[in-house]
């Protein structure tokens, strides 16, 4: 057993908790603790009916069609809209009888926690092959959060087939796959036992919208849809999601913009003396012997980054939203760490 199934996961984005702290500057806080695009999709005008009426079938189907096209899901795969992929992560463990669950880690802590809370026998493991042989359910985050590790779709498809042969599930959390669409298993989501989770919050910068999708085989989708019940997603969220998922020009432009910004962030962190571990175009994971002191020093400068109590050398940096924020981060790190030789 792993402690990760018992302890409440630690997350980024807790700016409300640190705002009361006294900082050495009068500047506004900079939140670099999440992997959310700092340049969000521009919100379209929403018809008043989306606010005043329960979301109808037409609005829901438009969002599902946009998601199917954007993610490349086959027609035989079912899609279910949910109020964020976190809601799906919470629900799935309760929709299967208790069994052995392997979560490939180190990864997003809610997976192990939620399966453990539902009474399953949870292990956080490193090897996919061992997980397939020993577990009834295997959970993979791809690209992985926080180190950006990517597993090939062919490898995951093979794992799904082996699991399905004995009634198992392969759950693939693709919250960051918009950045690397070639790694997605969505095109094989009609394979028995496959369950792909997608989020509109990260890449589109719309975490507050609370919109996500499950793409999977009929039996799993039916269980999730029944558990969520009617009107699980608001009309405005469906309308905005439809527009964003269908905007190919914005998607392509944003992938390039995020890639450039991540390269700049990597250069800044390398110059400051961090060891690069990995990441995606929305965040970089680095290591430093003085990580705890650097984290606290940045708090004093009004900059929040993601630390990892279980990995005390690690820090994760999201993208600064402007050149001014990037310069402030660079100067703060120089003041805390000192000049590099």
């Amino acid at each position: 057993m792993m402690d990760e199934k018992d302890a409440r996961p630690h997350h980024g984005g807790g700016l409300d908790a640190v705002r009361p702290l006294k900082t050495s500057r009068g500047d506004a806080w900079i939140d670099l603790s999440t992997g959310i695009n700092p340049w969000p999709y521009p919100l379209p005008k929403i018809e008043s009916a989306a606010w005043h009426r329960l979301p109808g079938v037409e609005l829901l189907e438009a969002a599902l069609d946009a998601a199917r096209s954007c993610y490349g899901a086959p027609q035989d795969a079912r899609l279910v809209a949910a109020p964020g992929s976190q809601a799906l992560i919470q629900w799935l463990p309760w929709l299967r009888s208790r069994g052995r669950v392997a979560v490939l880690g180190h990864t997003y802590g809610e997976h192990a926690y939620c399966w453990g809370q539902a009474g399953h026998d949870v292990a956080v493991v490193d090897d996919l092959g061992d997980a397939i042989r020993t577990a009834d359910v295997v959970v993979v985050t791809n690209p992985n959060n926080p180190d950006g590790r990517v597993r090939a779709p062919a490898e995951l498809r093979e794992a799904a087939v082996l699991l399905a042969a004995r009634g198992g599930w392969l759950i693939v959390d693709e919250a960051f796959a918009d950045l690397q669409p070639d790694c997605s298993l969505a095109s094989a989501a009609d394979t028995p036992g496959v369950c792909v989770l997608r989020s509109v919050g990260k890449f589109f910068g719309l975490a507050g919208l609370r919109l996500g999708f499950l793409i999977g085989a009929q039996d799993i989708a039916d269980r999730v849809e029944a558990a969520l019940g009617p009107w699980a997603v608001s009309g405005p969220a469906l309308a905005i999601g439809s527009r964003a998922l269908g905007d190919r020009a914005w998607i392509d432009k944003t992938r390039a913009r995020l890639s450039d910004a991540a390269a700049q962030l990597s250069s800044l962190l390398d110059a400051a003396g961090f060891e690069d571990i990995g990441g995606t175009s929305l965040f970089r994971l680095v290591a430093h012997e003085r990580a705890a002191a650097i984290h606290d020093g940045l708090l004093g400068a009004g900059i929040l980054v993601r630390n990892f109590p279980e990995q005390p050398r690690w820090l994760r940096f999201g993208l600064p939203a402007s050149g001014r924020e990037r310069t402030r981060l660079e100067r703060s790190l120089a003041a805390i760490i000192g000049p590099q030789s």
Side-chain angles (χ1 to χ4, degrees):
M1 299 293 174
M2 300 294 291
D3 292 340
E4 288 171 77
K5 78 176 180 63
D6 300 315
R8 187 76 217 183
H10 172 66
H11 297 293
L15 196 58
D16 289 344
V18 300
R19 275 199 181 102
L21 297 178
K22 183 178 180 180
T23 68
S24 59
R25 303 173 60 90
D27 297 319
W29 277 91
I30 300 175
D31 185 3
L32 305 180
S33 67
T34 73
I36 298 170
N37 183 354
W39 305 293
Y41 185 78
L43 295 178
K45 183 178 180 180
I46 303 299
E47 294 183 6
S48 60
W51 298 100
H52 295 299
R53 300 175 186 168
L54 290 170
V57 173
E58 184 176 343
L59 194 58
L60 175 60
E61 289 298 325
L64 295 177
D65 288 345
R68 186 185 300 278
S69 177
C70 182
Y71 301 143
Q75 289 300 316
D76 290 341
R78 281 283 316 282
L79 275 79
V80 179
S85 57
Q86 176 61 37
L88 297 168
I89 292 169
Q90 297 262 154
W91 265 113
L92 281 166
W94 299 96
L95 304 180
R96 184 181 172 96
S97 58
R98 293 177 180 176
R100 295 165 298 176
V101 178
V103 178
L104 264 65
H106 180 282
T107 193
Y108 182 55
E110 289 287 344
H111 289 295
Y113 178 78
C114 290
W115 285 95
Q117 290 297 298
H120 295 268
D121 180 5
V122 181
V124 179
V125 302
D126 298 322
D127 186 82
L128 179 59
D130 288 343
I132 296 167
R133 288 187 291 272
T134 60
D136 306 301
V137 175
V138 176
V139 182
V140 182
T141 303
N142 198 47
N144 190 48
N145 175 17
D147 62 9
R149 178 184 57 203
V150 172
R151 294 186 180 273
E155 180 186 19
L156 295 177
R157 192 178 300 114
E158 181 180 353
V161 171
L162 293 172
L163 284 165
R166 61 173 193 273
W169 290 358
L170 175 69
I171 298 173
V172 187
D173 180 350
E174 294 187 352
F176 293 97
D178 298 272
L179 302 159
Q180 297 168 261
D182 290 346
C183 79
S184 176
L185 195 65
S187 63
D190 54 349
T191 303
V194 166
C195 178
V196 174
L197 310 181
R198 298 296 293 248
S199 168
V200 175
K202 305 296 193 303
F203 175 77
F204 291 94
L206 298 175
L209 195 66
R210 307 315 304 141
L211 178 62
F213 296 90
L214 177 145
I215 314 170
Q218 183 79 36
D219 61 331
I220 301 177
D222 286 347
R223 297 186 203 187
V224 171
E225 194 170 58
L228 291 173
W231 316 301
V233 178
S234 73
L238 293 172
I240 294 170
S242 296
R243 182 74 64 88
L245 290 163
D247 193 337
R248 298 303 309 176
W250 186 91
I251 290 170
D252 292 341
K253 181 179 178 180
T254 299
R255 282 191 185 126
R257 181 180 191 180
L258 294 174
S259 179
D260 290 344
Q264 292 181 45
L265 177 60
S266 291
S267 295
L268 185 159
L269 296 173
D270 180 67
F274 288 97
E275 172 193 350
D276 182 72
I277 297 177
T280 71
S281 295
L282 281 172
F283 60 82
R284 302 308 302 170
L285 179 68
V286 295
H288 198 286
E289 293 300 326
R290 295 176 54 205
I294 294 169
H295 176 269
D296 293 346
L298 288 172
L299 282 179
I303 301 173
L304 177 63
V305 300
R306 173 75 155 87
N307 64 340
F308 297 84
E310 67 280 12
Q311 297 285 348
R313 295 181 65 250
W314 287 6
L315 292 173
R316 192 188 70 188
F317 289 76
L319 301 178
S322 64
R324 183 176 180 179
E325 286 193 1
R326 188 165 55 250
T327 297
R328 188 170 145 199
L329 172 63
E330 184 175 26
R331 290 175 177 173
S332 297
L333 288 173
I336 296 165
I337 300 174
Q340 299 300 301
S341 58

